Amino acid sequence: MDYKKTLNLPVTKFPMKASLVKREPEQLAEWEESCLYDKIRTESKGRKTFILHDGPPYANGNIHIGTALNKILKDIIIRSKQMSGFNAVYVPGWDCHGLPIEHNVDKEVGLKKKEISHGEFRRLCRSYAEKYIDIQREEFKRLGVMGEWGNPYLTMNYEYEAIIARECGKFALQGGLFRSKKPIYWCCSCKTALAEAEIEYKDESSPSIFVKFALKDNLGLEIPVLADKKVFVVIWTTTPWTIPANLAVALHPDFVYAAVDTGEGEVFILARDLVEGCMKSFGLSDFSILAEIEAGTLEGKQCFHPLYNRESLIVLGSHVTLEAGTGCVHIAPGHGQEDYEAGLLYGLDVYSPVDDRGCFTDEVEFFNGQFVFKADREIVARLRESGGLIKEETIKHSYPHCWRCKKPVIFRATPQWFIPMDSTGLRKKALEEIDKVNWIPRWGRDRIYGMIENRPDWCVSRQRAWGVPIAILYCDKCGEIYINQEVIDHVYALFKEHGADIWFKKDAKELLPNDAVCGKCGNDTFIKETDILDVWFDSGVSHAAVLEQRPDLKWPADLYLEGSDQHRGWFHSSLLTAVGTRGAAPYKSVLTHGFVVDAKGKKMSKSIGNVIAPKKIINQYGAEILRLWVSASDYKDDIRISDNILKQLSDAYKKIRNTCKFMLSNLYDFDPEKDTVLYKSMPDIDRFALHRLQKLIERTTKAYDQFEFHTIYHALYNYCTLDLSAFYLDILKDRLYTSPPKSAERRSAQTVMHIMIDTVSKVMAPILSFTAEEIWIYMPERKDKETSIHLTSLPVVNEELKDEELAKKWELLLKVRGEVTKALEQARTSKLIGHSLDALVTISANKDLYNDLHPYTEDLKSIFIVSQVSLIKEESLAGAYESNDIEGLSILIEPATGEKCERCWVHDTSVGTSPQHPTICKRCEENIKGLRY
RNA sequence: GGGCCUGUAGCUCAGUUCGGCUAGAGCGCACGCCUGAUAAGCGUGAGGUCGAUGGUUCAAUUCCAUCCAGGCCCA
């Protein structure tokens, strides 16, 4: 007869093949249809909130792998907090203003730009942003990220724009906003400011001149040998036109300088290491070094300007190099970034006597009205005439050009708006706040602290079209800002109703109360600022525009989570705007992750061609594998991704899936409400399995708490492979298949598996959200089973299922089992056995070990999955395997006695003894009694 | 060039808090078993001078210095 029909073999429709690429979109549609997100919200009303505040991605282009990493990490956290008893509302956002969009719209519009109004251009930018928000929204949803996709926050929403203006107004109101000159890239042909991103570098021929600045101060006191000598500091520049704006000469604080007698009655000061080369190129061969001078000695000394009757100060600056020139750098604070910074340190004027066409203003003697590049030649001539020029040549070098008209650009100082770091105490307070925040990983604190500590005043103005205007009016006579609460409220109301566009449509008068009078000079006409705000200000006030505005959110947020570049970006601007207006950081914790790099640890870039798009992974493996990748990686460091890594994760996924499938397939006839077996009635191994499960819960609970997801991945995966697949479930097969279906021992195993699958699926739910749900659907029905796993809670440790003493015993058994498998493998290699059930195992143990094993004598064969085990005390066994790891243990493997039972495959001497069932063993004969077959 | 960070088997991660037994796990790989989880399951085995060099020490993967490689942010 066919005894196979008397077995309880696994049955399930849960597919082995995940078909994630096909199934995930279907699952998403089902969640959408059943309004799962709303259900979660409703069910968790009144719970304590956990708010992860989303850092808004830029609404341009498709998402890349780093964005996917970021959003999936957030989703894992949101889901795990939600399942830990919190109400974790997630409102995603987008950063909508800014140059890249403006730039792209510019390109799309092309030559028509001149025909388009400012308002129309802004409208195009808005719709461009909308388009990419829709694209990215779908991409994020496809990753399985759950949130308020129907109601995200956008920095271009009218209300958001109104709040940006209001927050900026708050800074102004408390004296935290001022206007000052700063050099920026300027195109003289387009008469416009340019951003770094709008600059193209091209080779250009420029004059290269060496100029000597006569020292005004006598160095004779410090360096006697120079007393009564004609001493000059020698500089080198490739922009002669900036000489009229020269205010200083910079030396490097760490360089040694030399005073060189030229042999022609003069002394030149230049960097010691460059003396040889320079003097040679000046054609001065008869020189001698008179003295070596520390840069510090010269700091603060005055020189004469080579053209005008004024001084030029010697300053120190670490931007000075020995790569070219003389080691002494000409400083024009109005015409260079580093010059500007050096100037700030020494309190120099940001002198920039050049108009918007690039022509010298009237205050520039000799060259007024001349276009700067054309003036180069005349300036050189003038220098030669005055004796300041040492040498002139022409060099080719890379020079910045305008992306639009391709002409060379200049650095030119224009009025900009700044948020001061020190005059209002912003820096000090921000530094204090940094130490109240929990930075994960810890070094994030040092990173942002250093940045805040050293940063200059925040320049918040941009001369662009697509953004929120600095909604400030200032006196057209004295420049004083006209600001009060009434103005702020008025602008806020206007923006909220019409968007920021209204600012450009109304003139200054309409934006102010009728009786507005300058508080400083009494004048009643005002200028409307049309510069827009730095977009970092936009996103930086999201705490005000989102956390404070939405009733289901809160201020401060529990967590901000972004890549480590955001210490300079969003964490930074959020901190400054919050501290500046509310006196506190807008976040309690800040978590940062690294960047996605390729298999070799190199960054991804289009030019190297090592970019992996999330879309490709989703279409090949499914979003679930991407989510597993995020969880498996230690995000604190850079995260590698490669086909090999994805393949490995895909294999791991299959293993987890199959393990769950196996448990489900053995629960087909299990009704948890009727068939559950009490813990105390369970066999030891079942109770040990439950103990191990509690350990898994302990570990994963702690890991979720500490955002250590890769620990969860490893714990879960190792649990599935080691605890379950290779141990418990493997041993369980015999019991599950051969025992009577309703027998206590089989029900006990099913009870355990039911708890296991329930636990494991919940533990994986925040990470493998699709698969956990799929498992949930296939789990046995019961009265209060939730409709979705995402409505349930993470498992908590049940202390009653823990038994350390029992565990200790079983850990020893496990160790012995490991030795037995080694012995079995040897026997297999020598063709003594094939399957382990072919074996009879004799265990010889020393006294202690024997006493430990003895209580389990009857269980050993099932634990080892062999047919027979005999346990003996301290006898030497000829040809036995001697354990290396366990003292006093030797194991002898022999072929099992008796025939192989056709039904349970165990070898037993009882096979053949029954007349009715001659091919099966006694145990099986008992087990099929009463069964219908 | 500066600030912050990383470098343990082919891969993903443990371990080193205050330095100390043959540095662990899983996967992958190789070989074998099974065919009642089957495009599955089980077992065994081989893989690492813990980025390199120097120093401190009785002893360093662990501490210090330098260097190399890589990342983020500045310049």
Side-chain angles (χ1 to χ4, degrees), chain A residues 482-502:
Chain A
Y482 185 86
I483 187 84
N484 54 44
Q485 195 57 48
E486 196 189 343
V487 175
I488 293 175
D489 292 344
H490 181 58
V491 169
Y492 174 81
L494 278 175
F495 279 26
K496 192 173 171 185
E497 193 183 342
H498 307 283
D501 295 311
I502 192 80

Side-chain angles (χ1 to χ4, degrees), chain A residues 156-170:
Chain A
M156 66 178 182
N157 279 347
Y158 288 177
E159 188 179 13
Y160 197 116
E161 290 186 332
I163 289 172
I164 292 171
R166 188 190 72 195
E167 295 303 308
C168 179
K170 278 186 192 169

Side-chain angles (χ1 to χ4, degrees), chain A residues 12 31 103 119 123 186 238 270 289 398 431 552 590 608 618 762 811-812 925:
Chain A
T12 182
W31 282 332
H103 209 304
R123 206 188 54 73
W186 186 269
T238 57
L270 58 163
I289 294 178
S398 164
L431 291 175
D552 47 354
V590 174
I608 302 175
I618 291 168
K762 284 171 179 168
E811 267 140 32
L812 175 70
E925 192 179 3

Side-chain angles (χ1 to χ4, degrees), chain A residues 167-219:
Chain A
E167 295 303 308
C168 179
K170 278 186 192 169
F171 272 98
L173 192 59
Q174 55 196 347
L177 192 66
F178 71 96
R179 236 156 80 98
S180 174
K181 278 179 155 189
K182 177 178 189 257
I184 52 167
Y185 283 114
W186 186 269
C187 177
C188 307
S189 150
C190 305
K191 289 190 211 164
T192 179
L194 293 173
E196 186 76 46
E198 294 171 311
I199 298 294
E200 292 173 359
Y201 286 85
K202 281 193 295 189
D203 273 353
E204 178 88 6
S205 279
S206 298
S208 156
I209 59 170
F210 289 87
V211 180
K212 57 187 185 190
F213 283 55
L215 226 67
K216 181 185 181 192
D217 292 323
N218 193 336
L219 290 178

Side-chain angles (χ1 to χ4, degrees), chain A residues 587-620:
Chain A
Y587 34 68
K588 291 184 197 159
S589 293
V590 174
L591 186 152
T592 48
H593 56 78
F595 277 66
V596 182
V597 293
D598 71 9
K600 291 171 192 151
K602 293 252 168 78
K603 71 168 152 197
M604 296 202 164
S605 82
K606 277 182 204 154
S607 57
I608 302 175
N610 59 352
V611 175
I612 299 180
K615 194 176 227 163
K616 195 178 166 232
I617 299 169
I618 291 168
N619 290 338
Q620 191 179 345

